[in-house]
Amino acid sequence: EAGVAQSPRYKIIEKRQSVAFWCNPISGHATLYWYQQILGQGPKLLIQFQNNGVVDDSQLPKDRFSAERLKGVDSTLKIQPAKLEDSAVYLCASSLGGTEQPQHFGDGTRLSIL
Amino acid sequence: GENVEQHPSTLSVQEGDSAVIKCTYSDSASNYFPWYKQELGKGPQLIIDIRSNVGEKKDQRIAVTLNKTAKHFSLHITETQPEDSAVYFCAASKASGGSYIPTFGRGTSLIVHP
């Protein structure tokens, strides 16, 4: 089966600019996650969708970050305006849904803020 | 919220030796514990997982143990090979809204010397 697809792989922007990331989960996976991974740290959950509804977004900085999952399939994560501390890898993952289901990760988008 | 501590942060072994990585968690409601391997430039890949009703699980050279009373779980890799070199993450997950919310440790960089 095809894995989780993410684009772009790399993005360089200046602070205060905006950026968007795209994720296409594995077909049939109801749950989609966006993570932020800062260099040398584990992934930190930003937002979790179950179909097109938000399950948890408690760690999403809502003043600058937004995410949507239209029609319960693809998802986009947006940052506006970007700050230097947003430099990180943004990972998307999906799972079948329900409890105790493993997540399948994409290879991420590496964001650098100048 | 959940807090996951992972040790050591770096582990260097000779090929053929065993490697052990330990994690502790704080929330007794966590009931699913996956381990991920992350290679440079790639997303985390699930290597083994354990559920709270099981004390030990083994898959070839990899095993995981869980002590719910002490709230700790460990990854054991035997007969290590250079291709095992990567960053390993543990996670503790609990059910929420029909899905589960994972919290990751900070990762262990495993280096296997030929």
Side-chain angles (χ1 to χ4, degrees):
Chain A
E1 68 182 358
V4 175
Q6 289 189 247
S7 67
R9 285 302 315 274
Y10 306 92
K11 191 73 177 180
I12 301 172
I13 62 172
E14 295 184 348
K15 60 183 179 183
R16 292 188 289 273
Q17 287 188 324
S18 63
V19 64
F21 314 123
W22 174 82
C23 174
N24 180 235
I26 293 173
S27 179
H29 279 197
T31 307
L32 186 146
Y33 308 79
W34 281 104
Y35 290 90
Q36 179 191 59
Q37 186 175 25
I38 292 173
L39 188 65
Q41 297 183 20
K44 171 189 158 186
L45 181 68
L46 293 175
I47 189 167
Q48 179 180 347
F49 293 94
Q50 181 82 358
N51 296 308
N52 58 354
V54 176
V55 174
D56 185 278
D57 64 356
S58 57
Q59 298 193 84
L60 186 74
K62 298 179 185 65
D63 58 333
R64 298 184 300 106
F65 286 64
S66 64
E68 60 181 7
R69 190 181 185 196
L70 298 176
K71 301 180 181 179
V73 182
D74 292 5
S75 178
T76 56
L77 176 70
K78 297 179 181 178
I79 308 175
Q80 182 179 11
K83 291 186 176 181
L84 292 175
E85 59 260 35
D86 298 333
S87 293
V89 175
Y90 290 85
L91 295 164
C92 178
S94 69
S95 72
L96 281 169
T99 57
E100 302 177 7
Q101 291 292 331
Q103 297 175 77
H104 300 263
F105 283 84
D107 287 335
T109 297
R110 180 174 296 276
L111 175 66
S112 296
I113 312 293
L114 303 179
Chain B
E2 175 66 277
N3 181 47
V4 177
E5 298 285 340
Q6 183 173 347
H7 299 280
S9 57
T10 305
L11 181 57
S12 183
V13 301
Q14 288 296 128
E15 182 177 0
D17 288 350
S18 294
V20 180
I21 302 170
K22 299 182 179 182
C23 289
T24 60
Y25 61 99
S26 61
D27 192 339
S28 57
S30 290
N31 58 3
Y32 174 60
F33 306 91
W35 286 87
Y36 293 87
K37 175 183 180 181
Q38 187 174 28
E39 297 176 331
L40 198 60
K42 300 287 188 180
Q45 300 296 312
L46 179 74
I47 55 172
I48 195 167
D49 56 10
I50 191 166
R51 288 157 176 81
S52 58
N53 59 347
V54 175
E56 184 174 355
K57 182 177 178 180
K58 189 173 181 180
D59 182 4
Q60 299 183 338
R61 297 186 296 108
I62 296 174
V64 59
T65 59
L66 171 65
N67 183 326
K68 282 208 70 180
T69 302
K71 296 196 189 72
H72 67 71
F73 55 115
S74 301
L75 177 71
H76 304 251
I77 306 174
T78 58
E79 300 171 27
T80 53
Q81 301 167 4
E83 51 265 38
D84 294 330
S85 296
V87 179
Y88 291 79
F89 293 97
C90 64
S93 310
K94 62 179 179 180
S96 176
S99 185
Y100 74 85
I101 306 293
T103 301
F104 283 77
R106 291 179 65 93
T108 296
S109 178
L110 174 63
I111 303 166
V112 181
H113 299 280

